[in-house]
Amino acid sequence: MAHDSHPSGRSSPPELRVLETLSLVVLVLLMGVATVWGALSSNARAGEFVRAQNEQRDRIAMELGVSTSLIETGHDVYMTTCISCHGERGEALPGLGKDIAHSDFVRGKTDTEMLMFLKTGRGSWDPLNTTGVDMPPKGGNPTLTDEQLQQIVVYLRYLNAAASS
């Protein structure tokens, strides 16, 4: 019976080939276990993060006296228009929009005043405009309805409260 050739040029006995194969199988199994363990740990951390975010959203919704679904709807509308200048979490994009998550302006306006502000915007010529960039009416999306603008106002209230907590 012929033996396989060993890298050294010598033939390796069948017992050594079995040992090499078993070692390779054990190594692959260990790598698989490590990968699964890492994925489970990562999923657990992600789950904790999502749970914490949901708890924060629920608490803020209760404080604001609105439903979590209204916050989520406001988020969805915000993401279609406002994100391009104000960022995903209202943190502002440099040279474009203002930070609205930490904004005293947003905090100091009533919902009606915020709705009117969103409807009319603020031109770069306005002395209160500190960015030199136009805030177009309805964020540049003329198809937004008053209801959608009100949903954005709810989401802005949520961003303010989340940034404060």
Side-chain angles (χ1 to χ4, degrees), residues 49 53 56 75 78-79 82-93 98-103 155-156 158-164:
F49 177 75
Q53 277 192 316
Q56 180 187 42
H75 169 266
Y78 175 93
M79 296 300 271
C82 312
I83 188 175
S84 58
C85 295
H86 296 286
E88 185 176 358
R89 293 180 189 87
E91 70 278 8
L93 297 177
K98 298 279 287 182
D99 178 338
I100 54 179
H102 302 89
S103 172
Y155 187 65
L156 296 179
Y158 168 77
L159 287 175
N160 269 184
S164 298

Side-chain angles (χ1 to χ4, degrees), residues 14-31:
E15 298 83 16
L16 184 57
R17 286 196 318 254
V18 168
L19 186 58
E20 289 172 345
T21 302
L22 283 175
S23 297
L24 183 60
V25 167
V26 167
L27 179 63
V28 168
L29 284 173
L30 286 174
M31 288 173 56

